[in-house]
Amino acid sequence: YYSKNTYNNCVYIGNVTGRNYVGGIVARGESYDVLKNSYACGRVEGIKYVGGISGSSSGSSSGSSSGSSSGSSCQISCCYAGQSLISGHQYVAGISGYGGEISYCVAVVGSIYNGVRIANEPETATNNYAWNRTAIHHDGVLQPMPDDGEEQGTNTGISTLRLKATYAGMGWDFDTIWKIEEGESLPYFLRQTT
């Protein structure tokens, strides 16, 4: 099975509610799909495979013991999730509910219920940042701030996440795609107004 879809320069501001495979930009990123330079804000709520950008990005039967072969997962890069709430019961995360190759992404989420800040069981997750004040709840109990790691990203303060240098240092294109109100906002597209 081969899939190759490219989702570039996507934005969704609003609430998304469903059962399984619920995402702020895509429900399910398939094998070899590429999702980049995109962001979503609002709320995302579901039951299983719930993510701020993609509900699932494994490129295979999500959650199967066989996993995905190296390099075949959906690739997500230079994206951020700015939701107030991401909630579900299983495979819930700020960027990808399950799987994927996640790089240079940022999760600035107010609360996550039963999940992690970047991705559950990513194929790879490198150079990702997560707001260090995200409230993570498991079974209704507020958890301590997680350590840095592939599934959680690097703990980062909101003032740093509102600086152009943070994103430019990860290769985000501020010449033709992104802009930011320095110290005041998260990135948004040049074609948008604040």
Side-chain angles (χ1 to χ4, degrees), residues 150-191:
E150 276 197 345
E151 291 189 340
Q152 299 290 354
T154 300
N155 286 305
T156 309
I158 195 67
S159 59
T160 301
L161 296 173
R162 290 181 175 155
L163 297 176
K164 178 180 175 181
T166 301
Y167 302 89
M170 294 191 292
W172 289 40
D173 180 350
F174 280 86
D175 292 327
T176 61
I177 299 172
W178 297 99
K179 68 179 173 179
I180 195 168
E181 300 301 320
E182 192 70 9
E184 299 294 322
S185 74
L186 296 173
Y188 56 97
F189 294 130
L190 282 169
R191 67 179 189 257

Side-chain angles (χ1 to χ4, degrees), residues 18-140:
R19 292 186 55 78
N20 299 329
Y21 302 104
V22 184
I25 299 292
V26 298
R28 186 174 183 172
E30 298 291 346
S31 295
Y32 305 102
D33 283 357
V34 175
L35 202 160
K36 61 184 180 177
N37 298 319
S38 298
Y39 74 97
C41 299
R43 296 167 63 108
V44 180
E45 299 176 80
I47 296 173
K48 188 174 180 181
Y49 307 117
V50 181
I53 298 296
S54 175
S56 172
S57 306
S58 69
S60 67
S61 178
S62 295
S64 71
S65 60
S66 63
S68 58
S69 61
S70 180
S72 66
S73 291
C74 175
Q75 299 172 12
I76 302 175
S77 64
C78 300
C79 293
Y80 81 84
Q83 283 86 1
S84 60
L85 170 73
I86 299 174
S87 177
H89 296 287
Q90 187 177 13
Y91 299 120
V92 179
I95 301 296
S96 173
Y98 181 84
E101 297 175 37
I102 318 297
S103 59
Y104 309 111
C105 290
V106 175
V108 184
V109 180
S111 295
I112 297 175
Y113 283 83
N114 301 312
V116 298
R117 295 183 305 189
I118 299 299
N120 289 286
E121 301 178 34
E123 186 171 326
T124 61
T126 56
N127 300 310
N128 299 300
Y129 293 98
W131 184 35
N132 62 2
R133 299 295 298 268
T134 297
I136 299 176
H137 304 264
H138 285 282
D139 298 323

